[in-house]
Amino acid sequence: MMQGHVEGGAAAPVPPRRYRVVPRASGWAVAINRATTRPLPDRAAAERLAARLQAEADRLNRDQHRRTQ
């Protein structure tokens, strides 16, 4: 058994990343929190990019939790 003292307690859980498509004056962009990509010419392209980024974020999150268990 390990003994010791952890200062500061447990770290707060990080909310999951959620990419979304938002309208911009010159097209559509992918946003997360307050950051956005450069505008893409059409919504379909922005949705494909958002889906690809979301899949990568989900995979990284799943891998990170797998390593700590």
Side-chain angles (χ1 to χ4, degrees):
M1 175 188 276
M2 293 179 64
Q3 295 180 357
H5 176 73
V6 177
E7 292 184 26
V14 176
R17 293 180 185 110
R18 293 290 172 233
Y19 290 89
R20 56 194 169 81
V21 175
V22 295
R24 290 291 178 243
S26 55
W28 296 87
V30 177
I32 183 168
N33 300 329
R34 292 180 180 219
T36 61
T37 63
R38 291 183 176 166
L40 296 154
D42 59 64
R43 185 180 179 123
E47 288 174 347
R48 284 191 303 272
L49 177 58
R52 212 165 55 232
L53 291 170
Q54 187 66 57
E56 183 177 342
D58 292 344
R59 194 168 42 252
L60 288 170
N61 190 40
R62 187 173 49 247
D63 291 347
Q64 177 183 8
H65 289 295
R66 187 176 297 144
R67 275 187 259 131
T68 60
Q69 292 177 353

